[in-house]
Structures are given as C-alpha cells and as structure tokens.
Amino acid sequence: MSRRSPAVFFIFITLLIDVTGFGIIIPVMPKLVLSLLGEGATLSLAATYGGWLISSYAITQFFCAPIVGGLSDRFGRRPVLLGSLFGFGVDYLFLVFAPTIGWLFVGRIVAGAMGASFTTAGAYIADISTPENRAQNFGVVGAAFGLGFIIGPSIGGLLGDYGDRVPFMVAGGLTMLNWLYGFFILPESLKPENRRNFEWKRANPVGTLVSLWKYPVIANMLIALTFVYIAVHAVQSNWSYYTMEKFGWTARNIGISLAVIGFAFALVQGVLIRRIIPALGQTRSVYFGLGFYALGFLLYAFSTEGWMMYVFTLVYCMGGIAGPAMQGVMSGTVPPNAQGELQGGFTSLMSLTSIFGPPLMNNLFSFFTRPDGPYYFPGAAMLLGAVLTLISVALARRTLKKHVIAPGTGNQ
C-alpha cells in the first residue's frame, strides 16, 4: 500500500479541488434561479426549475459517461481526466454570463458532457488498489467529496454576499487550477497490458449496463443502488430549498450546514471506514450504512428546529459507509481491464437516477409547500428517501445472501 500511497494522494487532491468548485455554487443556486425567474417567483417554483436543471445535466452525463469510461480503458485515465476538467472550467465561466434561465440549462447540458472526473477517478482508484484495500481506497473518493463540501459551500455562502455570479467565477478558476495540477502532477495508472480496444457497443449507457449484467452480484446490487441513488436526492437536490422554506436559512446558513455535512462525510469515509469495514466485513457494512441513511432521512423529515439538522447530520452521514462497501463488493467481481467500464456503469446509473431523482424530490417538495397545495409538509421528499433506502436494504440483503462474494472483499 505504501508504494501506491502517492498516487492515491494525487487523485485525492484532484478530486478535492474539483468538488470544492462544484460545492461553491450550491448555496447560491436557489437565489440565482429566483432572480432569473423574475418578480413574483416563489421558492416552490424555483425548486421545480432547480430539479430540472440537475436533470438536464444528468441526461447528458448518462449518455457521455460510458463513452468516457471506455476511452479511459483504451487510452488511459490521465488524458481523459484532464480533458474533463478543462471542459468543466470553461463551463463555469460560461455560466457567469447566463442572462436567462434558458442559458442555465445550456450550461448544465455542457457540464454533463464534461462531467466525467469521478468516472475516471473511480477507475484510477481501482487500477492502483488490491482486493484487500479496494474499499478503503474508494473511501478516499468519498473523503475528497466530503472535504470539498466543507470548503466549497462555506466559500460559496460567503461569496454569495457579493453577488449571485461571484461563486461561479471562483469555481471556474479553481477548476482550471485543478487542470494545471493534474497536467503537471498526476501520473498514468492504467498499464498498457491492461488496456482494451474501444467498442461503441460497450460505450453507451445501455450497452455498459448490459455488459455488466453478466456478473450476478453487480446486476442485483445495481438495482439496490438505484433506490439509494434516487433517495439521496432528497438531500442533494432539495437541501437548499428545504432549509430555506422550513427554517428561513440564508445562503450563508446553507453553506455552513453543507460544510458540516462535508466534514461528517470526510470523517466517516476518510477515517472511520478504514476501521469499520475491516471489522464488520463489506456485507455487514452495507447493511450498517443503509440503515443509518434511512434513519437520517426520517429525522430530517420531522425536524422542527434548524439546530436539529446539524445533530441529525451525524446520523445521516454514517450512511456513507454503504457506498464504498457496495463498490468494493462489485469491483472485486470484474477483471482489471473492465474497471473503467464498471466505474462508467456506476456513473451512468447515478446519471440515470439523477434524471428522475431531482425532479421527483423537488416537485414533491414543491407540491407540499405551494400555496394551493393539499397539505403543508416540506419534509415529504425526506420521508420518501427513507422508504426508498429501506427497499434497497431488502434488495441488498437478498443478493448478498444468495451469492458468494469473491475472496478479499471482506464478506462476513
């Protein structure tokens, strides 16, 4: 592991800067959407548009991510990752000058085509990992995501005081710095003998998922992941609107709260996961994490004071153990030259669920908060998230009891 630690550190820094840039814009997005919708626009209406903005990004990424995963299996991780980062930097600067809500949609579509950094980073981690440390190294990705959400939203909440567009400017600059860092520092991880030819049949969202379907564990676990990926949009897509509506939070309050979530996830996936997964094994870790996710959703849904959201975040973020454990189980069932395809499949599934998840959760929030709604319940999306997570627990349990997991995955 020590020989490979520098490479893990390089990819960690690359992802950290990337996520920081993304996190900067989240606290100000509702305010920006409201300003572009014009006078008389309500938060419920802004939430609906916000959900569709995320969906438009996901539609493009759904079709492009498998292509990127296949290209990284053919040409290596480094050039694909650098191309993605450069495109993202240009997109952020483009959004700075968006004059209407329509241009925001154009920018999100462009970003979706370029949004392959996590796909390639996941394959990079798989390249440099052994079966014994694969899940722990995937936790580095989660730790970068968590730390990025400590730094990014905090900065975004503060920068929002100087204008709705300022966070986009800073995000674009950070992403270009990330590209420069990767260009001069990041080494290639995929050995020439582990590369494969690019095939259009496999480099499409349907083809990728079909190719992965031949692995029984992956096929069934992908179904369980589908429910989880939809559930988390109750928080990921709806947090800003929910807290603004229920507690009257400002962009600064939202930024601080997201920073707390980021810190908690970083602690779980960067520190605790390296002790919990070896102690429990990956199978029990999946149940452990999903259970905490479900409980966290329920607590969020029925919170009555803003301070409760901070306390309940500690419960919710313990669910972060589930993702790396599930990835570790699935990654251990495919050969080295298909790891990029597998990571592309993960991203395709995330994108596919992000097509439906944000509109589902944000429209549910809008329906139960609009003035003419049948019943006022801002936590409706959180409650649905808990239900979907419990369904995932049942599916994962059935799969992991039925199939024998490969040695080294920590099945206990």
Side-chain angles (χ1 to χ4, degrees), residues 36-366:
L36 291 176
L37 290 175
E39 291 187 22
T42 64
L43 190 62
S44 296
L45 180 62
T48 299
Y49 274 92
W52 287 113
L53 278 168
I54 299 174
S55 181
S56 64
Y57 172 93
I59 290 172
T60 313
Q61 191 179 66
F62 176 67
F63 289 103
C64 292
I67 297 175
V68 170
L71 289 174
S72 75
D73 281 341
R74 172 64 181 88
F75 299 105
R77 318 304 184 196
R78 186 176 185 274
V80 174
L81 183 59
L82 292 178
S84 171
L85 293 176
F86 186 83
F88 244 140
V90 173
D91 168 66
Y92 280 131
L93 297 179
F94 174 83
L95 293 179
V96 170
F97 303 101
T100 65
I101 192 72
W103 283 105
L104 278 186
F105 277 96
V106 173
R108 291 293 82 196
I109 290 171
V110 172
M114 299 295 180
S117 57
F118 274 92
T119 302
T120 313
Y124 194 107
I125 291 293
D127 291 340
I128 62 176
S129 300
T130 64
E132 291 74 23
N133 65 24
R134 185 177 284 115
Q136 291 90 327
N137 285 345
F138 274 123
V140 170
V141 177
F145 193 92
L147 286 175
F149 267 88
I150 296 172
I151 302 169
S154 300
I155 296 174
L158 295 174
L159 292 176
D161 293 338
Y162 300 97
D164 299 337
R165 312 292 181 121
V166 174
F168 290 90
M169 299 178 189
V170 175
L174 280 175
T175 305
M176 296 309 294
L177 286 175
N178 192 9
W179 177 81
L180 286 173
Y181 174 85
F183 184 83
F184 289 106
I185 302 296
L186 192 68
E188 179 57 64
S189 64
L190 185 63
K191 297 178 180 180
E193 61 268 24
N194 287 332
R195 300 184 186 186
R196 65 175 178 87
N197 292 329
F198 180 83
E199 301 175 39
W200 279 107
K201 180 180 178 181
R202 299 173 69 176
N204 66 79
V206 177
T208 298
L209 294 176
V210 168
S211 295
L212 294 175
W213 217 253
K214 62 188 176 184
Y215 305 102
V217 173
I218 291 178
N220 289 279
M221 291 296 285
L222 284 176
I223 297 174
L225 272 176
T226 297
F227 286 94
V228 177
Y229 286 163
I230 293 175
V232 296
H233 281 288
V235 172
Q236 291 181 2
S237 303
N238 197 47
W239 181 269
S240 298
Y241 302 98
Y242 176 64
T243 54
M244 288 175 69
E245 173 70 24
K246 194 165 187 178
F247 308 114
W249 283 6
T250 64
R252 182 173 294 199
N253 298 137
I254 294 169
I256 293 172
S257 67
L258 290 174
V260 172
I261 292 176
F263 176 80
F265 265 116
L267 178 63
V268 169
Q269 296 195 323
V271 179
L272 297 183
I273 197 172
R274 294 178 177 271
R275 299 186 179 184
I276 293 176
I277 289 182
L280 297 180
Q282 288 184 6
T283 297
R284 292 194 184 103
S285 295
V286 169
Y287 305 146
F288 184 85
L290 292 178
F292 272 102
Y293 263 150
L295 179 58
F297 282 128
L298 284 173
L299 293 173
Y300 281 154
F302 295 101
S303 62
T304 56
E305 300 289 341
W307 63 265
M308 294 181 178
M309 300 297 283
Y310 290 94
V311 176
F312 298 157
T313 288
L314 300 177
V315 176
Y316 175 77
C317 289
M318 286 298 292
I321 295 169
M326 296 174 85
Q327 280 187 294
V329 168
M330 289 185 281
S331 180
T333 65
V334 300
N337 65 358
Q339 292 293 339
E341 184 179 35
L342 175 61
Q343 300 307 318
F346 287 148
T347 306
S348 291
L349 183 62
M350 291 179 67
S351 299
L352 181 61
T353 54
S354 294
I355 294 172
F356 306 104
L360 172 64
M361 297 302 182
N362 283 26
N363 277 282
L364 191 63
F365 165 82
S366 179

